[in-house]
């Protein structure tokens, strides 16, 4: 089982939210369906960063570190070669094996 840490960004305000999930695409849908108290006022959201881990402990450590990141650090992370993608609720293709950015098809590729 893979464990994921993700960062989503509000399209309307530019605000960032960092979280942990076993199913990040489903979690993004929950955020966009206003099922999260903190994020419900800033919809819509898009996924701007994701990282997978073998263990929950590793993922939660990374989430804790990301929660301390400044906006500038997040912007630099998003610019990195590991995160050249954006996934929003408008792209129902979902997640598969691995990360690959193609405008016609979004597919998740895991990286460590």
């Amino acid at each position: 089982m893979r464990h994921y840490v993700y960062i989503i960004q509000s399209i309307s305000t530019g605000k960032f939210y960092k979280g942990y999930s076993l199913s990040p695409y489903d979690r993004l849908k929950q955020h966009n369906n206003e099922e999260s108290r903190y994020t419900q006022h800033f919809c819509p959201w898009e996924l701007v960063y994701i990282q997978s881990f073998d263990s929950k402990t590793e993922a939660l450590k990374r989430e804790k570190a990301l929660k301390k990141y400044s906006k500038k650090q997040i912007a630099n992370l998003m610019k990195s070669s590991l995160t050249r993608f954006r996934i929003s609720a408008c792209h129902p293709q979902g997640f598969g094996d691995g990360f690959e950015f193609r405008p016609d098809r979004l597919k998740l590729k895991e990286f460590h």
Side-chain angles (χ1 to χ4, degrees):
M1 177 182 321
R2 302 301 297 170
H3 299 267
Y4 298 90
V5 173
Y6 63 90
I7 299 175
I8 55 176
Q9 184 174 24
S10 168
I11 294 170
S12 62
T13 67
K15 209 178 242 306
F16 292 105
Y17 177 86
K18 301 100 175 173
Y20 160 84
S21 179
L22 291 173
S23 181
Y25 188 67
D26 289 336
R27 187 68 179 124
L28 176 62
K29 287 194 284 185
Q30 290 173 334
H31 287 294
N32 280 313
N33 289 334
E34 300 180 5
E35 296 174 26
S36 173
R37 183 176 290 182
Y38 179 80
T39 61
Q40 68 185 350
H41 303 292
F42 308 106
C43 290
W45 293 89
E46 67 181 345
L47 183 62
V48 295
Y49 175 84
I50 190 165
Q51 189 172 3
S52 70
F53 296 88
D54 293 325
S55 76
K56 183 176 182 176
T57 301
E58 290 177 289
L60 292 176
K61 284 180 185 177
R62 178 65 169 156
E63 179 194 23
K64 185 176 182 178
L66 287 174
K67 287 184 182 279
K68 295 177 183 178
Y69 272 34
S70 67
K71 288 181 182 181
K72 183 177 180 177
Q73 288 173 303
I74 293 170
N76 288 337
L77 185 64
M78 289 168 51
K79 289 177 188 175
S80 76
S81 62
L82 297 177
T83 59
R84 292 184 187 159
F85 71 96
R86 287 186 182 245
I87 299 173
S88 71
C90 302
H91 298 286
Q93 293 87 345
F95 290 89
D97 300 351
F99 258 133
E100 158 184 350
F101 180 70
R102 291 180 49 194
D104 61 322
R105 189 179 95 200
L106 290 174
K107 188 176 179 186
L108 176 70
K109 179 176 178 183
E110 297 173 358
F111 61 91
H112 305 277

